[in-house]
């Protein structure tokens, strides 16, 4: 398994191009299953999760070509296998997003249950309830969801008990080919859900209320092809912003969308970081200043994203004063806490909240990545800590950060990958 060796203490300075959003690209690739015409996606990041999704769709019978870097043409005209197997679903939970499209277009789908994961139980009951409300017959057998419907799914009035990004995406995709009108109440409003809805519209779907918590879909008999550009990754942009802030540096995030990052920007400003929109994106500056403590509670969009919680904690570990971080989206999403503590952070748990007593500086150590965002939180801590930190199990980072070392090195970071034994991707574990 590869590891990263980071010599911290160097302020990041320079420009970082923001990649397309992983969490938008994955559902968008699944949307290709809804049509027998080609869906072409551009600005797709080159990541382990995208490769897993290509494998999954490929085994369903989707023909995928890559005519230019970051451009994928997905042709689902010859899909003939409706099973998403355990080996793939277990490595990437977003695989369950094939369920709605397969069921809606072909009337049948068999998808492995994703199982437990590193950041909480993460059930899929909301996905299944929504599809059942549209007339699907769902059975759980041998670790698989067996879903079927005779004829088309039927439009329905659905209220989600809890806001779920994935359940909203599965339901909205299924509804595009259902008979009649589907209304999704308490739907997720995340930018990635909005991006999916825009692509569905470009394919000929009728989707209203995009960006609100009520989505109304008028089912159509067939969807066509489209060309769609994946939105910029707001979490990747926020991650590099946190790295710049924690190292006392200054970076311009090319392509970052400030309008999609309001809660994160507000927290950075409270911490004393200068954040400004530029013609190319966003500039983030914290030269020679100790950060101020900030309390953060994770919430659904437009609140502070859970996927930025570990990065915020790494920043707060070296801020002046005491910060409280409360995770409300996923239970157990604090695996970075013991690892940050190994680097000298003063963190205690108080019920479901992390209480962070900022220290003047973190110390280098050997640490271990446990999931995607926890790992990148450790990278930020390592970039800030003077001396050599080794981060093990880097494959978690490869799931969601495109060219991480290259982007950071270009801004002066001293970061090196030490290759491990082959086959690391086979050991990919579940994370956000
Ligand atoms: C997506 C993102 C992930 C992000 C998360 C929350 C992708 C590929 N992943 O994950 O990076 O951290 O949104 O912003 O886009 N829940 C249920 N039942 C369900 C589904 C979800 O109880 O059927 C719960 C989950 O356990 C969690 C909460 O709802 O507590 C939110 O999860 P959800 O929004 O569904 O996350 P994902 O779509 O899995």
């Amino acid at each position: 398994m590869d590891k990263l060796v980071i010599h911290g203490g160097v302020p990041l300075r320079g420009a970082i191009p923001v990649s397309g959003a992983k969490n938008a690209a994955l559902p968008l690739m699944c949307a290709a299953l809804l049509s027998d015409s080609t869906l072409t996606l551009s600005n797709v990041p080159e990541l382990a999760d995208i490769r897993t999704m290509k494998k999954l769709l490929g085994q369903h019978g989707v023909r995928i070509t890559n005519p230019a870097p970051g451009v994928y043409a997905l042709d689902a005209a010859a899909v003939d296998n409706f099973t998403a197997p355990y080996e793939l679903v277990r490595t990437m939970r977003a695989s369950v997003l094939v369920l709605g499209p397969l069921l809606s277009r072909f009337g049948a789908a068999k998808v492995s249950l994703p199982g437990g994961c590193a950041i909480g139980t993460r059930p899929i009951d909301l996905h299944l309830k929504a599809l059942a409300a549209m007339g699907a017959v769902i059975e759980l057998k041998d670790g698989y969801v067996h879903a079927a419907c005779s004829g088309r799914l039927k439009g329905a009035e659905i209220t989600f008990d809890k806001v779920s990004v994935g359940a909203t995406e599965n339901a909205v995709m299924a509804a595009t080919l259902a008979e009649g009108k589907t209304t999704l109440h308490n739907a997720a409003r995340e930018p990635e859900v909005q991006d999916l809805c825009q692509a569905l519209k470009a394919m000929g779907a009728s989707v209203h209320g995009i960006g609100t918590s009520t989505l109304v879909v008028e089912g159509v008999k067939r969807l066509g092809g489209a060309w769609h550009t994946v939105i910029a990754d707001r979490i990747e942009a926020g991650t590099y912003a946190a790295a710049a802030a924690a190292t006392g540096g200054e970076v311009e995030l090319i392509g970052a969308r400030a309008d999609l990052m309001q809660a994160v920007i507000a927290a950075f400003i409270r911490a004393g970081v200068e954040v400004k929109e530029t013609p190319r994106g966003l500039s983030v500056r914290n030269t020679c200043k100790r950060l101020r403590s900030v309390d953060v509670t994770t919430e659904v969009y437009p609140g502070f994203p859970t996927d930025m919680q570990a990065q915020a904690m790494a920043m707060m570990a070296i801020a002046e004063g005491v910060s409280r971080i409360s995770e409300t989206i996923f239970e157990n999403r604090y695996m970075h806490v013991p690892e940050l503590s190994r680097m000298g952070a003063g963190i205690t748990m108080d019920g479901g909240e992390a209480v962070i007593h900022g220290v003047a500086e973190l110390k280098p150590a050997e640490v271990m990545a446990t999931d995607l965002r926890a790992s990148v939180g450790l990278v930020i801590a390592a970039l800030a800590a003077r001396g050599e930190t080794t981060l093990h199990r880097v494959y978690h980072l490869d799931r969601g950060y495109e060219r991480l070392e290259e982007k950071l090195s270009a801004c002066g970071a001293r970061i090196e990958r030490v290759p491990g034994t082959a086959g690391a991707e086979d050991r990919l574990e579940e994370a956000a």
Side-chain angles (χ1 to χ4, degrees), residues 23 93 122-127 162 164-166 307 329-330:
N23 286 355
R93 185 185 156 82
R122 298 183 82 173
I124 57 162
D125 56 318
L126 299 170
H127 302 235
K162 190 173 181 177
S164 160
V165 172
D307 286 353
I329 308 294
F330 292 111

Side-chain angles (χ1 to χ4, degrees), residues 11-26:
L12 292 186
R13 282 187 211 292
I16 300 183
V18 177
S19 297
K22 164 182 90 79
N23 286 355
L26 293 171

Side-chain angles (χ1 to χ4, degrees), residues 8-53:
V10 184
L12 292 186
R13 282 187 211 292
I16 300 183
V18 177
S19 297
K22 164 182 90 79
N23 286 355
L26 293 171
L28 282 164
M29 290 172 80
C30 295
L33 288 167
L34 289 163
S35 172
D36 57 5
S37 298
T38 303
L39 173 64
T40 305
L41 299 173
S42 59
N43 202 31
V44 177
E46 298 293 345
L47 299 169
D49 273 9
I50 299 292
R51 289 191 287 278
T52 305
M53 186 56 86

Side-chain angles (χ1 to χ4, degrees), residues 26 49 52-53 88-95 399 430:
L26 293 171
D49 273 9
T52 305
M53 186 56 86
L88 291 172
V89 181
R90 98 186 151 82
T91 65
M92 188 183 65
R93 185 185 156 82
S95 308
R399 297 188 51 199
E430 174 57 35

Side-chain angles (χ1 to χ4, degrees), residues 215-234:
L215 289 171
V216 181
V217 185
E218 288 285 352
V220 294
K221 282 202 174 128
R222 182 183 171 272
L223 292 181
W227 178 297
H228 181 85
T229 303
V230 178
I231 50 163
D233 195 323
R234 64 195 168 104

Side-chain angles (χ1 to χ4, degrees), residues 90-179:
R90 98 186 151 82
T91 65
M92 188 183 65
R93 185 185 156 82
S95 308
V96 300
L97 296 174
V98 299
L99 180 59
L102 283 174
L103 177 66
S104 195
R105 179 159 160 229
F106 302 102
K110 180 180 163 193
V111 176
S112 170
L113 285 164
C117 81
I119 59 170
T121 17
R122 298 183 82 173
I124 57 162
D125 56 318
L126 299 170
H127 302 235
L128 302 185
K129 263 194 216 166
L131 297 173
M134 286 187 241
V137 177
I138 291 173
E139 212 188 335
L140 301 182
K141 215 170 50 189
D142 312 325
Y144 278 78
V145 176
H146 297 251
C149 60
S150 56
R152 290 165 70 191
L153 287 172
K154 305 276 179 292
E157 193 80 26
I158 296 163
T159 302
F160 292 108
D161 299 337
K162 190 173 181 177
V163 177
S164 160
V165 172
T168 302
E169 290 168 341
N170 241 334
V172 81
M173 286 192 280
T176 57
L177 293 179
E179 202 177 326

